[in-house]
Amino acid sequence: MALHHAEPGEIVDVRPLGAKLKQGINATLVLTDHLQVFRFILPAGEEFADHKVHGEVIVQCLEGEVEFRSHGKKQMLRTGELVYLAGDDPHALKGIRDASVLVTIFSGKTNRA
Amino acid sequence: MALHHAEPGEIVDVRPLGAKLKQGINATLVLTDHLQVFRFILPAGEEFADHKVHGEVIVQCLEGEVEFRSHGKKQMLRTGELVYLAGDDPHALKGIRDASVLVTIFSGKTNRA
């Protein structure tokens, strides 16, 4: 399942996982030469430490609530909110309420060898 | 409001518009050299005829239900589902239930003159 990437025109479910969140897995949903879309599970209390991505990024909160740190500030990213980052912007996430986020990375680089 | 584009690190609200949908406006939320994110309102019965985009596209249904045509087939795109298209894939949308969709276009071309 985790290895399946959507074909163009294929419907992909990104509805909230709800009670199944803690059994959920991080999964890449779309992978092309320049585009990567994945769902990332972030239970309350877990952190994804400072990192950066070589490419523009959109992080969308699909459910729950996440503390989002970038540009020297902490903000709450709540269900139905998204944030855009330029390439190489350092950022970190922490689950405040059990959360899953949709991460979309656009890279001029090729994702696939 | 429609002219404001999010800065990197700025939280953007893409929650369902609900009862306010019909007063909603199509708005570009993020615009960079290679990336455009906009919200598109599609009330029940309205159509967005066949078109194509020079760039990879993700269409995510934020609320309601949309008939999505691409690759010679019609599919329902429901709240919390998304679909990815390769550049220049023709596609069309029709509102089945009052809908708003989040459209993300990644282009190797520059969006801004």
Side-chain angles (χ1 to χ4, degrees), chain A residues 9 12 14 32 56 75 80 82, chain B residues 9 12 14 32 56 75 80 82 84:
Chain A
V12 177
V14 293
T32 75
E56 292 177 293
Q75 299 178 96
L82 63 82
Chain B
V12 177
V14 292
T32 75
E56 292 177 294
Q75 298 178 96
L82 62 82
Y84 147 76

Side-chain angles (χ1 to χ4, degrees), chain A residues 3-93:
Chain A
L3 294 176
H4 175 73
H5 302 140
E7 298 296 324
E10 180 182 342
I11 304 287
V12 177
D13 185 355
V14 293
R15 287 176 296 178
L17 296 167
K20 293 177 186 162
L21 185 134
K22 285 184 175 165
Q23 290 78 52
I25 53 167
N26 301 330
T28 296
L29 306 171
V30 176
L31 184 67
T32 75
D33 284 350
H34 302 296
L35 174 64
Q36 184 179 10
V37 181
F38 60 94
R39 185 180 198 142
F40 183 70
I41 311 281
L42 197 62
E46 287 199 15
E47 293 193 48
F48 189 3
D50 247 4
H51 62 288
K52 55 187 180 178
V53 175
H54 189 77
E56 292 177 293
V57 184
I58 295 169
V59 179
Q60 180 181 357
C61 186
L62 296 173
E63 65 195 303
E65 190 173 350
V66 169
E67 180 187 278
F68 191 86
R69 280 188 287 123
S70 72
H71 302 86
K73 60 186 172 185
K74 284 184 188 178
Q75 299 178 96
M76 284 299 158
L77 186 66
R78 298 182 174 90
T79 304
E81 294 178 331
L82 63 82
V83 60
Y84 147 75
L85 295 175
D88 296 318
D89 278 349
H91 58 288
L93 293 85

